[in-house]
Amino acid sequence: PIKLNALANDIFTAEYDENGYGVSLGVRHMLSQNIELGATISQFDIFETNEQGNLNIRYYIGEQLSLGVAYTTGEDVDAYLFNVRFNIK
């Protein structure tokens, strides 16, 4: 269970006890030596069922460093994401 306490003196307390699952399926493809394209679909059911789709593109600066841009959409969210990834070898 998740317990939320809004005030130190416990004026408000809410408890949640919920089970669920999450499933994702994705593909990635190297368009060129430095550019990767990816797509993912996901479904999560914890408090309610949510489905999301994600498209992303990644530019590899070198073997260990890359920059990414992604678009995620779902029932309650539309987001653009920017990220930097460093792979430790």
Side-chain angles (χ1 to χ4, degrees), residues 35-49:
I35 299 176
E36 178 184 80
L37 185 64
T40 306
I41 56 171
S42 305
Q43 182 176 8
F44 301 96
D45 187 356
I46 298 175
F47 293 108
E48 61 184 38
T49 301

